[in-house]
């Protein structure tokens, strides 16, 4: 009973949360960040498949997820370098 509810409703709730966060990012982000965010769309589905349904994540899928995260880190690092960050001494 509980496992059936998890299979039916948890993925929908998580996807709804992800899409809400995705839309918020699109509203506030720059073009490069927005494009990269659009590439992350399959990641919640893959994560849910592994965690809830017990699916196996292939090495190429895992490598793709890692590359997307690396891209996000690089974009954020560039943003901090361009705009500068305040330190406590300033």
């Amino acid at each position: 009973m509980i496992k059936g509810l998890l299979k039916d409703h948890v993925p929908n709730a998580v996807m709804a949360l992800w899409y809400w966060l995705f839309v918020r990012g699109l509203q506030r982000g720059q073009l490069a960040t927005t494009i990269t965010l659009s590439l992350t769309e399959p990641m919640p589905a893959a994560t849910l498949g592994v965690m809830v349904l017990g699916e196996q994540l292939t090495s190429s899928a895992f490598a793709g997820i890692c590359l997307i995260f690396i891209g996000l880190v690089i974009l954020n690092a560039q943003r901090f370098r361009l705009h500068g960050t305040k330190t406590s001494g300033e």
Side-chain angles (χ1 to χ4, degrees):
M1 172 84 179
I2 297 294
K3 189 166 184 160
L5 288 174
L6 287 177
K7 281 186 176 181
D8 292 340
H9 298 292
V10 170
N12 293 333
V14 172
M15 288 303 289
L17 174 65
W18 186 87
Y19 275 113
W20 180 77
L21 292 171
F22 179 72
V23 169
R24 298 285 293 179
L26 291 177
Q27 291 172 343
R28 296 180 179 191
Q30 298 173 342
L31 180 61
T33 306
T34 303
I35 291 170
T36 305
L37 279 175
S38 70
L39 296 174
T40 66
E41 190 172 351
M43 290 172 28
T47 304
L48 281 175
V50 170
M51 294 175 66
V52 176
L53 303 176
E55 295 179 359
Q56 296 290 325
L57 191 64
T58 64
S59 59
S60 61
F62 183 74
I65 289 172
C66 290
L67 287 173
I68 290 171
F69 276 123
I70 290 169
L72 289 172
V73 168
I74 290 170
L75 282 174
N76 284 324
Q78 288 176 350
R79 185 181 320 160
F80 285 126
R81 271 197 303 262
L82 290 174
H83 298 293
T85 56
K86 289 186 176 182
T87 60
S88 60
E90 292 181 354

